Amino acid sequence: MNDPLLPPRPTSPSSDAGEALWQACVDQLAQELPEQQFNTWIRPLSAKFSDDFSRIQIEVANRFKLDWIRAQYAGRLSELLLQLYGQSIHIDFSLAPKEAPPRQSVTRILADVEELSPVVNAHSDGGIQGFKNRINTSLCFDNLVEGTANRMARAAAMHVANVPGQLYNPLFIYGGVGLGKTHLMHAVGNQLLLNRPDAKVLYIHAEQFVSDVVKAYQRKTFDEFKQYYHSLDLLLIDDVQFFANKDRTQEEFFNAFEALLTKKSHIVMTSDTYPKGLTDIHERLVSRFDSGLTVAIEPPELEMRVAILIAKARSEGAEMPEEVAFFVAKNVRSNVRELEGALRKILAYSRFNQKDVSIQLARDALRDLLSIQNRQISVENIQKTVADYYKIKVADMYSKKRPASIARPRQIAMYLAKELTQKSLPEIGELFGGRDHTTVLHAVRKISAERQTLSDLNQQLHVLEQTLKG
Ligand code: ADP
Ligand code: MG
């Protein structure tokens, strides 16, 4: 019985909070892992927290899976739990009892996950041949928020989806991580299948294509492989930068590419850089990549980040007031994936604490993230931020390498170091791998002159400055 002097306790606060926490964790892994891995290892798990949230018991179907999950995923799971909950939670793995039906709460969690990330293919297979299109039906045009950053890519993709095989073939989409390239590809696939349910569509990550080539070799099924690829109406191939140095794969891809274009099938590709920026990919392939339409996706601007947050919150059944969305969007600037991560934290936090989403709540939920941004600006910090932003290694800030893809971010970092810290030119040169002060001066002058005329650069610098200032 409840003590009559105390307010009645909600039926089961800890189990609700547990569900939300576990769900947030699973959700995050769904983003991080390839679909197949997620479906095989993570999706079937069920979890239960101890009352004080110091431990979580994860049940796994059999011994083999248990060992594998412990080895492969335990580390990431406990990181995520720590990140989401704010305190470390000890993980106990155990074998699921054979007969026992899954607990009520667990079933609900799994149902939620199913709903949130319907990775299973609705359009998929023509059954007999086991043909799977690998399209994620939850990634469509409807839930891809449009903004200046993706307008052109989105329009081109929409055109291709509605009138394939004609203009913009191949369509080459490039941009940094987490900006919506993969989403856009799936959207093309879903839209085409909506118009023509019998179309033969395939979404494939470049790494998977590489491993398919290898398998076809080992199993001597090359003819089948060819037949299969060459018969597609739409090939969506993601992250083609992974073809680097894979000669045999590049050759096969080249063949498939030619065959598909000849029969007016459409090809959509993504990459982290524009075609000429690709390294270790044969010139003839690179020039093919660039022969249709090449479009960039940029990091989303503030208004777009706000719109994305509001839309995503709504799709998770929560309301995010505009002022809160602005607060978050101002503080999380790099890409949409991080924006989603922040939103997830806020929603989880609001559920655990049974409080409405407000700026104060967002501030609490994102405490770690915000405190990192408020630290003092150091040259090291600038180097790291700029390297992250342009997707190069921090080590390249000190290295002697000179390709433009590296030299330019380095010059930008030098410029920012001069602008945002008290360091002298020689001191900055020293911190950039012992470079001469004249090199730093040259970089500072060049970037500050260019930012007057290049609006893209100016925008990027603006984002970097805001990020660094916090
Ligand atoms: P990329 O392939 O460029 O690394 P993804 O397509 O995986 O990025 O996008 C990362 C996450 O952000 C996905 O969950 C995606 O749905 C979401 N996302 C990206 N851009 C948008 C957008 N414009 N509107 C809504 N969601 C977006
Ligand atoms: Mg991607």
Side-chain angles (χ1 to χ4, degrees), residues 14-31:
S14 62
S15 103
D16 277 352
E19 281 182 23
L21 177 56
W22 177 243
Q23 180 184 314
C25 192
V26 167
D27 238 13
Q28 178 62 29
L29 286 169
Q31 302 279 334

Side-chain angles (χ1 to χ4, degrees), residues 327 349 355 358-368 370:
F327 171 79
Y349 199 87
K355 280 194 195 148
S358 64
I359 293 190
Q360 188 51 47
L361 182 128
R363 205 188 291 279
D364 292 344
L366 304 178
R367 209 171 32 233
D368 294 352
L370 299 178

Side-chain angles (χ1 to χ4, degrees), residues 239-259:
D239 288 325
V240 294
Q241 72 272 11
F242 280 104
F243 284 161
N245 291 320
K246 308 280 191 316
D247 287 346
R248 187 63 223 203
T249 304
Q250 288 181 33
E251 197 176 321
E252 278 325 311
F253 186 64
F254 182 81
N255 293 336
F257 194 97
E258 294 287 282

